[in-house]
Every structure is written in C-alpha cells, then in structure tokens.
Amino acid sequence: RSIAPLPLTPSPPYPTTAYAPPTSPLRSRRPVTAITALRRGFASALASLAEVSVTPVASASRSPRTIGLGAFAPTKMASSVMTGAAAALAPTPRGATVRATVNHRGAAASAMRGVRCSNAAAPTPASGASGASRRRSLYCKAIAAPVSPAELQAPANLHGFQLLREEYVAEYDAKVFLFKHEKTGAEVMSLSNDDENKTFGVTFRTPPANSTGIPHILEHSVLCGSRKYNIKEPFVELIKGSLNTFLNAMTYPDRTCYPVASCNLQDFKNLVDVYLDAVFHPNCMTNEKTFLQEGWHYELDAADAEMTFKGVVFNEMKGVYSSPESVLARECQQALFPDNTYGVDSGGDPRNIPDLGFAEFKDFHGKFYHPSNARLWFYGDDDVEERLSTLNAFLSEFDRKEVDSVITTQPFFTEPKRVVASYVAGEGEESQKSFVQVNWLLSDAPFDTETALAVGFLDNLLLGSPAAPLRMALEESGLGESMVGFGLEDELRQPTFAIGLKGVSTEDIPKVEKLIFDTLASIAEEGFTQAAIDSSVNTIEFSLRENNTGRFPRGLSLMLRSLAAWLYDGDPIEPLRYEQPLAHLKERMASGDVFRPLLKRLLIDNKHKVTVELNPDKALGKVQDDEEKARIAAYRAGLSPEDIEKVVADTEELKRLQETPDSPEALACVPSLDISDIPRESKSIPCDISTMGATQLLTHDIVTSDILYAEHLMDLHSVPMDLMPLVPLWCRAMQRMGTSKRNFVDFDQTMGATTGGFSLSPFTSSIRGETDVAAYLVLRGKSTADQAGEMHDLMAEMMLESKLDDREVFRQLVLESRSGMESRVQGGGHSVAAGRLDAMDSVAGYVDELMGGLAQLEYLKVLTKRIDTDWDGVVGDLERIRAAVVSRHNSVTNLTADAKTLDASSAAVSSFLDALPAHGTGVATEPWSPSLVLPSVNELITVPTQVNYVGKGANLYRGGYELHGSAYVINKLLGTTWLWDRVRVSGGAYGGFSDFDSHSGMFTYLSYRDPNLLKTVANYDGTVDYLKGLKLEQSELTKAIVGTMGDLDSYQLPDSKGYTSLMRHLLKVGDEERQQRREEVLGTTEKDFHAFGEALEATRAPEAKVCAVTSPEAAAKAVTERPDLDFKVTSVM
C-alpha cells in the first residue's frame, strides 16, 4: 500500500515495489514485467519532447524475456502529477496489446514512478546567488570524488555515530559503511558510488495487531504536514516543484518505508529534510482532521441526507477488496500465517477500518516511529559526512528506547490445511469460475544469499518462462484460464511459494491440485534438463550483471534487497553480494544435483501447505453493502438531533479545511529550486540516421556495458483492419508454438541460454498535425555483443518459421488474455475508460481499443468459441497477419550500444534484415480513414466493484487550441491542486488526475478507486472556472515550472535513451520543436493558465463524453439522476 497508487502485481497483497525491478533479479519473470502500457497520452508526449523512456511491453505473458518493465502508468500516463499516480495502477496487462509506455515522471511524484532526473547532477552556486538562499545548479556533479569508491574512507567526524563495518561491494562499485547512532541506536546503511541518482529511505518495523489499516493510514497521514513544514500536504508541494526521481511511501505487512531519490543534490537534500521531519514530527499526532481525511469518517451533507463512510484509505481498500486476485492474495497470506502479524491486513479491511480510533492511531506512531526502531539508507554520489550530520540533527532530539517490533516466526504446521472463501462475482456465466492456489511456507527465517540464489534458480526453472515445466503443465492443462500465485516470495521474514489457476470449474478444482503435486513429484524424480538449467543460469546472470532497473532508482532497488535481511536483524550487506555465492552455487551445480533435493525439501515433503479455494458469490456484494449500511444505520439511530447536526457540521468543517489552500507565506516553508537553476538548452541523445538496404537505421552511440539493445519495427498498416484485434494474440502465438526447426521448449531454452531475451508487440500513436498514425510491430531484444548473431538468428527463425497451428496452446493464450482483460476492467478501470474515450476520438485510439481495450475483450469472447467452430479459419488469419506484416517495407531498425558493439553487431543485423521478405503479401490496400472511430456516446461500463473509475474527455485541437509548452505545466499543476483537492482529498478517491495527449489533442480527466461518479464529473467541469479565475503566486508558478522541467530532463538508463530517440523520430518531434516547447515551459505565465481554461471549455461542451467503470447499482443511479447524458450502459461481468 502506498500514499499514491502503485502499479502493483496482483499478488502478493503488499507492495513489493513490484512493478519495477523486483527487488531481486531472480523474480524477473514476475508478471509485473508484462504490465502493459497502455496509452500514448501526455507521457508519450513528454517522451518525445524529453529524456523520457518509452518502452513497448510484451503482452500478458509472464515470460522473463519480456523486454522492458512496462509503463509507469499502465494505461493512462497521468500527465499531471497525480493524485494519483492513480494513473499508475493497472496491475493487469491490457490484453496482449502494447503501446508506448513511458517512464513518466509527471504523474509521478505521487506514484511510484519512473526514474527521473537531470542528466548530470548537482550543485554549484548559480551566478549571483549567495548565502542561505543560494540556488543550486542542476547539471554538475554532486561531488568530485577524490578517490574511487573502493578507496573511500569514513569521515573523521562521525556526528554522533559509531562505525560498525565498512566494506567494498564490487558488484555495484560501492563503498558501504554501516553506522549506528550512539544516542538512539538507529542504524544507517551508507553506500557511496558514482551514481548521480541519489537515494534515501527511512524504514520502520510496524507490525499491526489487527486489520484496521493503522500502518497504512499512518503512512498517508505523516506526509500531511509536520513541525517544520506546517502546511496541509508538503508531499504534494514536493510533487509540484521537485526534480525527484522517486517520491512515495509504502506499507508492507510488517514495515513502512519512506524513500526518495533525486539526481540534483540540493533537491535531494530538500526531500530528505521534508521526509525526516514528516516521520519524526508529524502534525497528524495533534490534528485529528488528517486522520479523518486519510483514514475514515462519517460523512453527512445534510440532516436528511444519506450518511456514508468516507476516507482515502477506506476507499482505496474498497477498491482492493473488489479485486478477486487481491482477495485471493489476502486469504492465502492469512492462511499461511495465522499466528503472527501477517495474519492481519496491514492495508486495512474496509469492514475493520471504522473500528480504528484516533487514540490508537497516535499510540501506534509513538510506539514504532522512533529512531530506535529506524533503519536509514543513503546511496549515491553525495557526501558521507553530510549524510551523518543531516541525520544527527534529527536523531539527537531523541533518547534510546526499547521498541518491541520484532516480527515473530510463524510455527510450522504439522499437517496441510485447506481454506474455502468467496469473492464478489458478476451475473455473467463467464464470471462463475473459481480460483485455486496452493501455498507453502518455506523457512523459519530469511534465506542466506546462496540459498536465496538456489531457490531463485529453482523458482525460475519451475515457472520462469512459458517452457518451464510446472508453468507449462498448468497453462496447457485446460483446467483454468491463467496462473495465479506466481511462485517465490521472499521479502517477508519467512519466504513462501504459491501457484495455482484462476477461471477453474468447480469440478476441476481437485484436478488442479493433483496436477500441481504430480508435476512436482515428476520433476523431483526426473530432474531438470541441462538445457533448462543453462537457460535459467544465463537469464539470471544477465539480469544481475545488467542491473537494469528501468525507471526505478537502482539505489532503491538495493535498499529493498538489503531490508529483506536487515529488517529481521540479519546482515544488511550480504544481500548486495552475488558473485561469490553464485560462483559457489555453480560449483555445486557442476558436481551434483542441487535442485531435486531442494524441491523435495521445500515443497514435496513440506507439511506447511495451504490450499485456498476462492469461489464466486453473486450475492456477496449486496451482503457487504447491506452490512455496511446497517452499521451506519445503527450508529445513526443512536444519535440525537443535536448529534446529527454535529456530524453535518463536522463534515462541512472537514470539507472547508480540505478545500482551503495554504497561504503563500505558509507554502514558502517548503524548499524548492529556481527557474534560473535550469539550463535553457535541451539535451539531445546521440542519433545517427542512415539506411541498411530498404530499412531505415537509427543508431545511438551510448555506453551500454557491451550490451546491444535492438528494436526492429515493421509497418502495422499492412495488416487488414479486420485482423487488427488478432494482432496481440498473434504476437504471443509467435513465441509459444515452436518453429519448423525446433519445438517450443527448445526454442525458449535456447533464447534464454544465449540472449537477454526478446519480445514482440504492437505500438500505435497519433502524430500531431497529421492524419497519419505511427503504427508498428516492434521486435525488441537485448544481448551481449558476442551474442548478437545468435539473437538475430533466433529472431529470424521466430518471425519466419514459427508454427501457428497448435489449437490447445492458442486456446490457452486466448483464455489468459481474456482473464487478464477482465481483471484489468475491475482493477484498472480508469485505463479502460481512457481507452474508450480515445477510441471515440482518434484512429490511433480506435486501433488501440481493438487490440487492448473493451473491444478486445468482446473479440476474445467470440474468438474463444471460434477456436472450436472454425480453427482452420483462425490459423489462416494468423498466417495472413505474418504474410502481411513481416517484411522490410517501411521498416525501421533502432540500435543502442557503444560504437565498438554497434560495429561488431552490424553483420548480424544486416543478416536478419536480409532474411525478411522485401514486401508482404495480402497487405491492406485501404489507408486508415480519420472516420475510423467508435460512436461518440456517454458510457457506463458495469462490473462487480465497490468503487468507480470515472473519465471524461474532449479533443482540444478540434476546438482550435494550438499546442504550447505551458500545457505541460498547467496539466501538472491541476493534478496537485484542483483535482487533488476535489477528487482525492475532499472526494475521497485514491487518485484523480488529467492527461493531455499532445499528439492527438485529447484531454482526459480520470479518477481511481473513487466513491463518487457524477460528483466527480461535476468537479471535472469545475476545472474550467478554476483555471480562468486562478491567481498564482510567482513561487507557485516557479514550482510548477521546475517540476515540469524535471519531467523533461529525466534520468534514463542507456536502453531508455535509445528508445526515447526512436519515439521522437517516429512521432516527428525534432530538436527544434523540443527546444521551442522547453522555452515555452520556462516562460509560462498566469495568462497561459487562463487561456488554457478557455481551451478546456471543450471538456464541458456537449461534444465532451463521459466514460466510467462502475457497479450496476451506481450506473442505474447515474442514469436516473442525469437523463440528459443519455448514458449507454455496457455490462461486462
């Protein structure tokens, strides 16, 4: 759980920071690697203008070969900072379609976001600056290290700390100092290397005793003002005007983490100071209104109105509990750990959250938020002594105390157990399917590094690719629609393993269990093939050595890895090393079978095993609603008329406080940078454009540690439109049925053993000012320089010789995609609503909708039946797609590596391109007409849910608006002011934000886990008047500009830089335009806000449309209350 929405995986029920690099590369096969990005949107606009990486992601497959981690905002790249990076949350992939995904920082701050920062880092005084007000330049090194990290010495002045250990960790070229604060006992891990993306984090052990959500509510609340920063929400102020590359807070079942990161030294210091003051001196200990806002309260607008529960966390968790996958994860965790803190929900059960009182809330902070219970982390190129001095200034106010926060061990069961539970199901026949998952507790303590590696290898061998035997047995069994569980979880005190299926018929539940046990027994008897082991070893080693954390700061990834031992009083340095344990493990593997004994001990002979069966219940939703209403009615019945009036008055007072902004004088307490700190000139990425035969070739000479990153793009316009919905499944089928040369298992293992992996996915985007659409099939891969030939040979084999005629494999792919889409509609409805609105507006949006929106889900339902009635026709269509799209005609190749690697790889690339046909056959002959859009209607999409996802949008270009860089600033500010205050703070939604697709002109409002529907639409419409009447202090305008420049000058790893340059090329955004937009951003004035308010009149004109994912009951109420909107109601589940 987090203060701003995180793109979490469906399992487990806690934030393993899951969307980004798993804390261990061993979990690279987790489904988060397949989170599909969904939309072009504002983020993709920034991608073309800025140093923002845009990554196509593979479909719903869990293959570890998926290149790229997906979008920061799966589906909606929240332009604004979000109140939700809500945009950020779609845990399930968009069917099998893939779009430009952006490591977006704009939506950022409030979400777990993409890596962002300036391309150089930190501070020197700006000219003319002096004294305490001196501003810092963004683009110089934080420190000029006089020595290499290996030779770095501890500072002479330790500022009240004791040095416990110092070691050099060669794996990350980092000098590590472990300190202990002498007065309080707080421990500090200080890592120094040349990484400009500096990271800080403070973590407390916070084991809850119940499911009231107290650690989660506290995590939200401490960031709502503090002793030094005495305003409503310093967190939001940081979102507005910081250059941070990461800013969030996360609640686990047993800890709460507060991490920040930035490439700019002064900005980094500001973030650290705000966060330390927040956790140690929060205003929420004396201001009960914060608890009521973030946690829960009774809301009553008038004495005769309906009384409800309201609160940000309360509504967030209602959304979580609306997802069957989340319910399953909760049931499994609590069944495995009935006797310790993991047996309750730290995020909060909506049924229990209203049991929490303010006194208990305060006591929890007093007990656990103390330096004696803190673990602090620094990483990067800032000065070690300054780190200690900063910390001591806060810690020295406290005295050491004993804090009982030890996470007790769950005793092992003597016999397996079984749990049967229910989830809220819809009315449709397809919704009446069960989940079954088998779960094991693996150990009574965290694994040591070598054991963790071995178990990670075992996990990868069992489930790490579609060819892994346990995964393949389940996916090809025909017993369910898609996998759940996803294997190893080792971030808590005791590691677990889980696997199962969803979409299972009741009569097949025992068969699923038997299949899991029989398959494990067979593997324990026969062992793994050497080819499988070689593939797994290369896959994991490549991931470890590449250390590509995507948009996730590397320092934060290491912090979370270290905490897996440190939090439980283990060695915090050991998890950072892998070379020696890996070498020793390889020696063991060479001399004997490591994995069969491990499999037998951990799974087959393990009695601590729980099977969880989750069955559909169509009546459960009403039962839950009735219980909540009855509880409120009982409370209300005990109130006198005077008490009722007090509840009304309290509601009004809370809303007044929520909607009253802080004064400019108060806001001045939050430190920020100045526009003068920002370079006027935009940075460019090295790009050479040439040709290789008929193919346009883009090369980027960038240091990549001898790794070649390659993208081969083929023209998607060649595919006939009637086949477009089949393209995502064709991409998956090409990778799942083997080739004419080898079967699927051999091909997959060869790819794993010789490359860093490759994937196939579609990409589409509007191009500003043109009716043309950028639409390509993207084949994306990576390998070491000496493996480039093998990788391209395998690519050619897949593209030209893949089989497409395995009916049962294809059936399973369809069921998996359908299952993923249904989960996405329920858990990420904002992305579905956004996609529908786009599809009503543009050809690119329409094609996206066919490949990954609600239209895709409807297509999958029909295709499921067609597999049985017209299989030959399906195969024929798959072959027609290959014949049309696989060719060199209008193709583009994009290569990123250093000059030496580019030269060495040239022959392999040329050979691959030469193998492709010059032209496709059966290609589409009709151009894509601008009229190719969905009918423009107001639409309510109904699913079983307790919350709403509300969208509204219109095209600004059609109203005459011409793009100006100030739009980026304005959109960012909206998400931290009007929309944050009205939709999230006052409205109670987990997120509310806007998105401006500057390529198509589509402006969209979206909300996430929202208790309101029509009220949110009214708030959207109020944006126009808000902007027209806005009076901006210069300091507020400066913050917004600085924060937007952080989006434009974002930090990127080498592969992201190369892909960003490709996107700019495809979307026809040149350096001249980028410089123009940059100057317009820097020159934004208050008048620009007023003018944009006029442009937004289009969003409340009759042409603007509403699309929301909601419950049948909420839809019926909206239809009744707003007949003028003439809603079309579409039932999905």
Side-chain angles (χ1 to χ4, degrees), residues 460-623:
N460 188 273
L461 285 163
L462 289 171
L463 297 168
S465 82
L470 181 55
R471 176 174 168 181
M472 191 160 67
L474 287 167
E475 290 184 338
E476 297 186 0
S477 66
L479 296 174
E481 295 174 352
S482 61
M483 282 199 338
V484 291
F486 306 115
L488 176 66
E489 265 308 328
D490 58 359
E491 283 198 287
L492 300 184
R493 179 181 177 86
Q494 294 172 269
T496 62
F497 188 92
I499 192 64
L501 286 174
K502 64 179 288 189
V504 179
S505 299
T506 305
E507 62 271 17
D508 287 336
I509 290 175
K511 297 177 185 176
V512 174
E513 295 178 76
K514 184 175 186 302
L515 177 62
I516 291 172
F517 302 144
D518 288 351
T519 303
L520 291 174
S522 175
I523 296 169
E525 179 68 27
E526 300 171 9
F528 297 100
T529 66
Q530 190 59 46
I533 293 172
D534 291 343
S535 175
S536 184
V537 168
N538 183 72
T539 297
I540 290 173
E541 270 202 87
F542 191 103
S543 177
L544 285 167
R545 299 190 195 287
E546 183 192 19
N547 191 26
N548 188 337
T549 58
R551 62 199 175 287
F552 204 64
R554 283 172 165 165
L556 181 50
S557 177
L558 292 180
M559 183 189 89
L560 296 171
R561 193 184 304 176
S562 176
L563 281 168
W566 191 17
L567 193 77
Y568 310 111
D569 304 313
D571 183 345
I573 300 176
E574 182 188 6
L576 308 182
R577 302 187 186 278
Y578 62 81
E579 290 288 6
Q580 186 174 346
L582 181 60
H584 189 245
L585 178 60
K586 283 183 170 182
E587 291 175 5
R588 290 173 53 204
M589 290 163 59
S591 61
D593 193 331
V594 172
F595 301 113
R596 285 197 296 170
L598 198 60
L599 174 62
K600 195 169 187 303
R601 175 169 64 86
L602 294 180
L603 299 181
I604 293 176
D605 295 338
N606 186 349
K607 298 295 186 184
H608 196 113
K609 175 176 63 182
V610 179
T611 299
V612 175
E613 176 184 330
L614 192 67
N615 297 313
D617 186 340
K618 290 187 286 188
L620 182 59
K622 186 175 186 307
V623 169

Side-chain angles (χ1 to χ4, degrees), residues 916-933:
L916 302 179
H919 295 274
T921 59
V923 300
T925 56
E926 294 294 324
W928 292 1
S929 167
S931 63
L932 203 61
V933 294

Side-chain angles (χ1 to χ4, degrees), residues 14 203-208 251-256 341-342 346 405 407 491-494 567-568:
Y14 50 88
T203 299
F204 303 96
R205 285 197 303 219
T206 52
T251 302
Y252 288 69
D254 58 8
R255 78 198 80 157
T256 309
T341 192
Y342 303 148
S346 64
S405 64
I407 313 303
E491 283 198 287
L492 300 184
R493 179 181 177 86
Q494 294 172 269
L567 193 77
Y568 310 111

Side-chain angles (χ1 to χ4, degrees), residues 91-147:
T92 42
R94 238 187 145 163
T97 206
V98 175
R99 315 306 138 104
T101 74
V102 182
N103 295 343
H104 177 50
R105 178 179 180 282
S110 51
M112 260 180 132
R113 18 198 216 179
V115 181
R116 298 282 177 268
C117 74
S118 56
N119 274 337
T124 55
S127 69
S130 64
S133 63
R134 178 175 295 164
R135 298 291 182 175
R136 304 289 185 166
S137 165
L138 286 96
Y139 286 87
C140 54
K141 274 291 264 186
I143 55 171
V147 294

Side-chain angles (χ1 to χ4, degrees), residues 29-37 57-64 66 91-98 466 471 475 481-483 486 728-729 731-732 735-736 760-762 812-822 824 851 856 860:
R29 56 137 182 90
R30 291 172 61 79
V32 286
T33 60
I35 291 179
T36 325
V57 186
S59 65
S61 123
R62 288 178 69 241
S63 171
T66 298
T92 42
R94 238 187 145 163
T97 206
V98 175
R471 176 174 168 181
E475 290 184 338
E481 295 174 352
S482 61
M483 282 199 338
F486 306 115
L729 280 161
C731 290
R732 298 190 65 194
Q735 303 170 75
R736 286 293 298 271
L760 190 63
S761 58
Q812 186 59 37
L813 295 178
V814 172
L815 292 174
E816 287 175 8
S817 296
R818 177 174 162 178
S819 172
M821 272 299 306
E822 288 172 344
R824 183 172 145 256
M851 294 192 295
Q856 170 74 183
L860 292 172

Side-chain angles (χ1 to χ4, degrees), residues 81-92:
V81 239
M82 4 197 331
T83 90
L89 245 301
T92 42

